[in-house]
Amino acid sequence: MRSDRAKKGLERTPNRSLLKATGITDAEMKRPFIAVVNSWSDIIPGHIHLDKLAEAVKAGIRNAGGVPFELHTIGVCDGIAMGHEGMKYSLPSREVIEDTIELMIKAHQFDGLVLIPACDKIVPAHIMAAGRLDIPAIVVTGGPMLPGYVNDEYTDLISVFEGVGAYQAGKLSEAELARLESFSCAGAGSCAGMFTANTMACVTEALGLSLPGCATAHAVDAKKTRLAKESGERIVGLVEENLTPRKIVTRKSFENAIMVDMAVGGSTNTALHLPALAHEFGLELPLETFDTLSRTTPHLISLRPGGPNFMLDFDRAGGVQAILEKLAPKLHGDELSVTGKTLKENLKAFVVLNPKLHEKLISTLENPVHVEGGIAVLKGSLAPDGAVVKQTAVDSKMLVHTGPARVFESEEEAMEGIMEGRIQSGDVIVIRYEGPKGGPGMREMLSPTSAIAGMGLIDSVALITDGRFSGGTRGPCIGHVSPEALEGGPIGLVKEGDLIEIDIPNRILNLKVPEAEIEMRKASFVPLKKEVGGYLSRYQRGVHSANTGGIVD
């Protein structure tokens, strides 16, 4: 066992003495030491229940003959950080979390680890650590939040964000907005639609790193507690079998995960996180892979924000395993999972509990919601290295659009312009200097997109940024424009009134300015630099472009 390096032999007598100070017995000293890596905190709704899940995990570990040790990592709530400088710290926290897990696991020589993350950056950070460390590991994602219920319909956080724009446009009263604020977020769990956190949970299950059913089992559901306990039991088996993440996750596993992502209409942030995950697993996952698989993988279930259904509906209809079953003819069925079985073998145990809902919500390959998957990668003179859009959340009349640029140098400037009513139907909002380096930190633009949606302009106004969008964003919102403005990308050369061409079906994003004019602008271009300090200054020096996954040296 790896932990023997820290606890076995005469020379480790002092080490054992310290372990005994924690209450470890001589009998436990001979058993596998399992790290339970928990991102619990009081500030993030998606995490406030993870202490209870950790207790279930530890019970499972003890049941199977292991010794659990609980450790903690940090986490940023993107919703609370949204719309101000706090969001600059969200993406940068990903590598910090990964590094802290590595430090704790390597320093104490654990035999295996159970990862308990929830929410947007925390889930990919934990998986990146698993790939880097490559010791037996299993992931228990925290589970979705129940939807709220206001004015006789289900609501979620996006309802509140869009409510701000609706109030500003006079479509919602102050009292109605206050009701949305108070009753849309129902308690523990990650926000109730197929936003980034839940997309990443689905991707984790599709990669084979969590038990079947884990992604959509809700935070307050006893099913989640049972899965946590079963995961604790299973990690001991993984240690005994020496079945490590890199033996489970391969290039084909990533292709399976991307196909599931496409089928569920997941967040564009997967195009940022999955390449970073692959990098830590010693693999390459070019941005173009998403577009290639999107063209051949249909969209099978219509979930918030692009559709009417919530994660609760998806879970009752069968969750990720139901999608895997539908996609089976396209998938790599022989890829392993933490069960020790292949994807194909796991599906033999899948049972549809609610056949009518299953049939109603989950489409077939022959009759999908959309013929193509959720994400499209656009290229052109405005984005030579690519840009990303959730095409299944775009109204059909905005799939092809040309309009004048309304240029803003930050999210705050754009939000001010929107709230003051300076945006007109047909405009293309350009928000730049919000990329990984330029932000720094590549903020999500949920406040501007939601304000536009709430004002009723989401089907006539496009938004383009070298930053990124929340998984809760809908409409013609194109992010991850690469190269970014700070690095001299064409988005930095756009002037007010320039025509921008968007053609999502043909994957085109062009700045409709003569080449000679672009070259003149390049010659005199001086990027806007923001004063930064602390961790962000280090992050800015080491981070790479969005099309690489925003990996950090």
Side-chain angles (χ1 to χ4, degrees):
M1 292 189 294
R2 289 175 181 82
S3 59
D4 285 348
R5 300 168 189 169
K7 66 185 184 185
K8 190 174 183 180
L10 175 64
E11 65 278 15
R12 294 292 173 258
T13 302
N15 308 56
R16 289 193 299 275
S17 181
L18 288 167
L19 285 165
K20 286 182 176 181
T22 71
I24 295 299
T25 67
D26 285 328
E28 288 176 315
M29 207 74 74
K30 299 172 185 176
R31 299 171 189 166
F33 280 13
I34 309 296
V36 179
V37 183
N38 192 352
S39 60
W40 170 85
S41 76
D42 277 336
I43 187 66
I44 310 177
H47 295 203
I48 57 176
H49 64 301
L50 298 187
D51 54 339
K52 307 297 189 300
L53 287 188
E55 290 303 318
V57 166
K58 290 189 285 187
I61 292 168
R62 293 188 186 99
N63 287 348
V67 183
F69 295 85
E70 188 173 354
L71 322 170
H72 291 87
T73 69
I74 62 168
V76 171
C77 178
D78 281 18
I80 297 172
M82 195 73 68
H84 54 84
E85 70 167 352
M87 180 49 75
K88 293 184 177 185
Y89 291 85
S90 175
L91 182 60
S93 73
R94 187 181 69 182
E95 276 71 17
V96 174
I97 294 167
E98 179 189 16
D99 290 348
T100 59
I101 295 172
E102 178 194 358
L103 290 167
M104 290 296 286
I105 300 306
K106 286 286 192 180
H108 300 101
Q109 294 294 302
F110 286 102
D111 298 303
L113 64 155
V114 181
L115 299 157
I116 311 179
C119 299
D120 299 26
K121 301 316 145 311
I122 299 94
V123 174
H126 281 229
I127 300 172
M128 288 163 69
R132 182 189 290 181
L133 291 163
D134 199 33
I135 67 170
I138 192 167
V139 184
V140 181
T141 49
M145 180 188 293
L146 292 173
Y149 201 72
V150 182
N151 293 331
D152 296 317
E153 62 181 18
Y154 286 115
T155 58
D156 57 28
L157 179 65
I158 305 309
S159 309
V160 188
F161 269 100
E162 294 188 1
V164 174
Y167 171 76
Q168 193 71 13
K171 297 179 180 181
L172 205 66
S173 71
E174 187 174 351
E176 288 171 321
L177 183 60
R179 284 197 291 273
L180 282 175
E181 175 186 324
S182 296
F183 302 111
S184 289
C185 294
S190 47
C191 300
M194 188 55 77
F195 315 140
T196 303
N198 291 322
T199 302
M200 286 307 305
C202 292
V203 161
T204 304
E205 186 175 330
L207 282 171
L209 290 174
S210 58
L211 293 179
C214 186
T216 59
H218 277 51
V220 297
D221 194 333
K223 178 167 61 173
K224 177 65 77 177
T225 306
R226 294 196 298 270
L227 282 163
K229 192 174 291 185
E230 290 166 3
S231 298
E233 292 170 347
R234 179 60 192 142
I235 188 60
V236 179
L238 288 168
V239 170
E240 291 168 351
E241 298 157 23
N242 195 30
L243 184 54
T244 66
R246 291 195 181 198
K247 293 176 183 175
I248 293 169
V249 176
T250 66
R251 166 71 191 211
K252 290 180 179 179
S253 305
F254 275 108
E255 290 178 1
N256 286 343
I258 292 172
M259 284 187 269
V260 167
D261 180 21
M262 297 302 161
V264 300
S267 165
T268 53
N269 281 313
T270 55
L272 192 67
H273 296 314
L274 285 179
L277 263 65
H279 179 72
E280 294 294 4
F281 278 82
L283 302 167
E284 288 188 9
L285 194 65
L287 186 60
E288 289 74 19
T289 308
F290 288 82
D291 200 59
T292 300
L293 292 173
S294 179
R295 290 178 185 273
T296 59
T297 308
H299 179 210
L300 298 179
I301 182 168
S302 188
L303 296 163
R304 292 276 291 166
N309 300 300
F310 292 81
M311 290 300 295
L312 186 61
D313 304 305
F314 185 30
D315 184 52
R316 289 168 174 169
V320 172
Q321 296 301 302
I323 295 294
L324 290 170
E325 185 180 61
K326 296 287 187 185
L327 291 175
K330 294 177 172 290
L331 298 173
H332 306 291
D334 293 327
E335 296 306 292
L336 276 175
S337 76
V338 289
T339 64
K341 299 176 182 177
T342 64
L343 182 154
K344 189 164 46 181
E345 289 169 335
N346 286 338
L347 284 175
K348 290 178 183 177
F350 172 62
V351 176
V352 177
L353 297 178
N354 301 296
K356 290 182 181 177
L357 186 65
H358 174 87
E359 186 177 354
K360 177 184 174 184
L361 259 60
I362 302 179
S363 302
T364 62
L365 294 178
E366 296 73 27
N367 187 30
V369 180
H370 295 98
V371 176
E372 292 189 355
I375 291 174
V377 177
L378 313 184
K379 289 192 174 183
S381 59
L382 188 56
D385 293 338
V388 179
V389 63
K390 185 189 283 193
Q391 61 175 341
T392 50
V394 180
D395 187 273
S396 58
K397 63 177 176 281
M398 286 296 289
L399 290 170
V400 178
H401 177 74
T402 298
R406 305 300 305 278
V407 182
F408 300 96
E409 310 294 3
S410 69
E411 179 188 4
E412 286 85 357
E413 280 191 20
M415 193 64 181
E416 183 180 327
I418 293 165
M419 298 302 278
E420 289 178 355
R422 303 203 310 259
I423 304 302
Q424 305 299 317
S425 177
D427 286 347
V428 178
I429 298 171
V430 176
I431 308 174
R432 61 193 181 194
Y433 295 103
E434 291 289 4
K437 284 184 180 293
M442 202 179 182
R443 286 192 288 182
E444 290 181 347
M445 305 290 153
L446 183 57
S447 294
T449 61
S450 297
I452 286 289
M455 290 175 173
L457 294 171
I458 200 66
D459 297 333
S460 62
V461 170
L463 294 93
I464 296 174
T465 181
D466 53 7
R468 59 198 176 93
F469 292 112
S470 163
T473 293
R474 61 187 177 96
C477 301
I478 300 165
H480 306 202
V481 171
S482 300
E484 62 176 289
L486 186 66
E487 295 192 314
I491 191 172
L493 308 177
V494 180
K495 291 186 176 180
E496 189 81 7
D498 285 348
L499 288 180
I500 292 176
E501 175 193 16
I502 300 166
D503 186 341
I504 294 173
N506 290 306
R507 308 304 200 253
I508 291 169
L509 182 62
N510 281 331
L511 176 60
K512 302 290 281 183
V513 172
E515 184 63 32
E517 171 65 17
I518 291 177
E519 290 303 317
M520 284 180 58
R521 293 182 189 181
K522 277 184 183 177
S524 59
F525 176 70
V526 178
L528 175 68
K529 291 188 177 179
K530 303 171 185 175
E531 289 293 324
V532 294
Y535 177 69
L536 288 183
S537 64
R538 280 186 284 150
Y539 178 81
Q540 189 177 56
R541 289 195 298 271
V543 70
H544 288 259
S545 178
N547 66 301
T548 70
I551 60 174
V552 178
D553 286 333

